[in-house]
Amino acid sequence: MQPSRLRAVYIIALRAYPLPLQILERHLTSLGSLGHPGGILLEVVTGLGRHSNTGQPRLLPAVVRYLADAGYRFDSQEGNAGVILVHIGC
């Protein structure tokens, strides 16, 4: 693989933080400023909402809405709907 096509990968488990969207914004800003030549792939672990009071995800839809509104390119991880892959600088 050519060096210019290599990509840095970072993982963050948002469900572990009390203010998850603020933490996500901070990570997106700092990772975006790195300027990695192959771009950066951020794996955002939100979980499926199984431990919420209603059994429905609350963090996952909020993160998807935030990323869409901010104009980030993202998709879900195949085989794991509780993980969102965010493409930064790709």
Side-chain angles (χ1 to χ4, degrees):
M1 185 178 281
Q2 299 172 354
S4 63
R5 306 225 4 117
L6 292 177
R7 172 184 289 189
V9 177
Y10 294 87
I11 301 171
I12 180 172
L14 283 184
R15 62 180 187 242
Y17 294 97
L19 300 171
L21 293 181
Q22 288 86 342
I23 297 297
L24 176 61
E25 182 178 18
R26 188 175 306 150
H27 276 76
L28 291 169
T29 302
S30 62
L31 291 173
S33 67
L34 293 177
H36 192 277
I40 295 172
L41 180 64
L42 176 62
E43 292 186 19
V44 181
V45 180
T46 64
L48 294 173
R50 291 186 180 134
H51 300 288
S52 70
N53 294 339
T54 63
Q56 297 297 314
R58 292 177 33 203
L59 185 54
L60 179 65
V63 169
V64 167
R65 191 171 32 256
Y66 173 83
L67 293 170
D69 290 347
Y72 284 97
R73 229 179 80 218
F74 64 94
D75 48 30
S76 61
Q77 185 178 53
E78 190 173 326
N80 190 351
V83 175
I84 301 169
L85 305 174
V86 184
H87 306 276
I88 305 169
C90 303

